[in-house]
Amino acid sequence: MNQTKEIFIRLDRCVGCHTCELACAVEHSVGKNLFSSLAEKQKPRKRLFVEPAASFNVPVLCRHCHEAPCVDVCPTGATYHDEIKDLVLHDAKKCIGCSLCVQACPFGMMRQRAESRIAVKCDRCPDRDVPACVDSCPTKALIYADTESFGRIRRRAVTAALANAYLQKEAG
């Protein structure tokens, strides 16, 4: 069975460098270049945020909910669930800028362009094999994988930590 890939977060690895945010904005710019994007008339918008919480930096991004409140409230169908890609996407041409999707998103991941009020959200970088945020993360805090693969990664990390703790206790 071919599982849909998700973006998973390793909180223990995020150092709060915001490289993912920058890569996201650049990927969604017209020129897809950091320097030229600064001069673009319509400023590129990041679609994820790194927020501080307790002693962690937490990358927050669209979860592409199966029962997405942003889809349910959109009066024009601009925000919709793409069944083939299994993603919640947004069609700017249909958006009327009402901000209902912004209000409905439980994760605060819908935003609007200041210039036009048109909503923007994560589209998982459809022209890339790996989303720009994941690809740019220097500490590999973001992982693009299916749930089985991510579970395997987490189990291996826990197993290694337990084995190291045991060995240190035995040696001490």
Side-chain angles (χ1 to χ4, degrees):
M1 183 172 127
N2 189 15
Q3 288 189 1
T4 303
K5 289 186 173 184
E6 303 287 339
I7 299 175
F8 293 97
I9 302 163
R10 299 278 313 267
L11 290 180
D12 58 322
R13 292 187 175 187
C14 183
V15 296
C17 68
H18 301 272
T19 302
C20 56
E21 293 177 340
L22 185 60
C24 178
V26 170
E27 180 63 25
H28 291 91
S29 69
V30 174
K32 297 191 185 298
N33 176 287
L34 175 61
F35 299 107
S36 67
S37 69
L38 297 173
E40 290 177 10
K41 183 176 179 180
Q42 185 169 287
K43 299 293 181 213
R45 306 290 291 199
K46 63 185 178 182
R47 283 134 163 91
L48 77 152
F49 302 85
V50 177
E51 301 286 348
S55 61
F56 293 100
N57 294 291
V58 182
V60 183
L61 48 135
C62 179
R63 302 314 311 160
H64 296 277
C65 308
H66 284 281
E67 295 180 23
C70 59
V71 170
D72 293 341
V73 301
C74 184
T76 64
T79 304
Y80 63 98
H81 189 262
D82 183 317
E83 300 294 332
I84 296 169
K85 296 177 183 174
D86 198 23
L87 296 175
V88 173
L89 299 175
H90 184 266
D91 182 349
K93 293 179 184 110
K94 292 182 179 179
C95 184
I96 59 173
C98 67
S99 79
L100 288 174
C101 58
V102 175
Q103 296 174 56
C105 178
F107 299 100
M109 296 315 306
M110 295 293 296
R111 19 188 346 213
Q112 290 178 301
R113 293 195 173 281
E115 311 88 16
S116 63
R117 295 183 44 95
I118 300 300
V120 293
K121 67 170 300 304
C122 172
D123 58 6
R124 292 247 178 97
C125 303
D127 299 332
R128 299 175 56 106
D129 291 333
V130 175
C133 59
V134 175
D135 202 26
S136 69
C137 183
T139 62
K140 305 298 179 208
L142 299 175
I143 298 173
Y144 189 54
D146 59 62
T147 55
E148 252 335 283
S149 298
F150 184 70
R152 191 169 33 258
I153 291 166
R154 297 295 296 178
R155 286 189 300 275
R156 288 179 182 158
V158 168
T159 303
L162 289 172
N164 286 333
Y166 179 78
L167 290 173
Q168 286 178 355
K169 184 178 178 185
E170 290 296 311

